[in-house]
Amino acid sequence: MIQNKIAAGIAGALLIAAMMSMFTVKETEKAIKFRFGEIIESNYAPGLHFRMPIINTVKLFDARIQTMDSRPERFLTAEKKNVIVDSFVKWRIGDVTKFYTVVAGDIDQANLRLDQIIKDAFRGEFSKRNIKQLVSTDRSAIREILINNSKVIAASLGMEIIDVQVMRIDLPDEVSASVFSRMEAERERVAREFRSQGAEAAERIRADADRQRVVTLANAYREAEKLRGEGDARSAEIYAQAYGQDAEFFTFYRSLSAYKKTFSNSGMMVLDPDSDFFQYFKKQTK
């Protein structure tokens, strides 16, 4: 009976020792193993790992992406004007050994250090641009510059910068009115320039249309005169052919046409009765 208890005690002690000699690293964690407080290993893949009880201790750190939401901060532009910037940073632990050594593995302490790094990057970048450039510049360009400027310093803290985003850039009340006035004046200047260019284009199109109209009318008139000349020539040819076949009948027909046109008018005409115009009135049939 006593032997069974001893065996159970030994088995229990071995089980406890085995449990104390194992630790698990999740996919969302990073781990550091110490030997009497000294770091001996930190490059652990997710899974089950072993340690020496009492001699070794293990600390686990959250390796997921963290968000540092900074309070709105004022920065000076190149024209010595204040802008209020609201931003946030996405980061995670890169080198867990450095992270533990520099900030003792404290997320809050890491956020404080990172906040100062990001503010310095903002300050250096905004001091190179005026307000107009900050408002009109593509945010992705500023984002890339901020990430590049801060990632080296952040790496010295064992931190990896994932993203830096500017959520909003506001103007203090004391400069908003003057900035908006300048922007409005600039927009008005651009609008006047566009209107001037539009008027110039309209005049150019109108002049081209007038030129095309004159050219078209001239071509049409030339073609009409050509066709009229050809028609007159053809008419004269037909008249000549008809006159050649029966000159007497042709002369009589032309006289009848002249009589019709003359006597259809309501006006008064004074002619000599013995003139050739009335020659067919004088002839008598036999």
Side-chain angles (χ1 to χ4, degrees), residues 214-229:
V214 172
V215 172
T216 302
L217 289 176
N219 291 336
Y221 180 77
R222 181 186 62 188
E223 187 67 21
E225 289 298 316
K226 178 182 177 182
L227 294 176
R228 187 178 292 109

Side-chain angles (χ1 to χ4, degrees), residues 8-27:
I10 294 174
L14 291 175
L15 180 60
I16 293 172
M19 293 178 63
M20 291 179 64
S21 64
M22 294 185 296
F23 65 96
T24 302
V25 178
K26 299 179 182 178
E27 292 183 355

Side-chain angles (χ1 to χ4, degrees), residues 133-153:
Q133 291 172 329
L134 291 175
V135 173
S136 59
T137 301
D138 186 6
R139 296 289 178 86
S140 61
I142 296 179
R143 168 184 172 273
E144 292 297 329
I145 294 173
L146 291 173
I147 292 176
N148 292 333
N149 290 347
S150 59
K151 66 180 181 181
V152 176
I153 303 177

Side-chain angles (χ1 to χ4, degrees), residues 96-129:
V96 67
T97 302
K98 286 184 180 180
F99 184 75
Y100 178 79
T101 303
V102 178
V103 297
D106 189 344
I107 298 293
D108 294 334
Q109 181 66 24
N111 281 332
L112 288 175
R113 298 285 294 272
L114 182 61
D115 185 49
Q116 189 59 47
I117 294 172
I118 296 300
K119 285 180 180 178
D120 290 341
F122 270 117
R123 192 172 294 108
E125 192 59 33
F126 279 35
S127 63
K128 301 175 184 177
R129 292 176 167 84

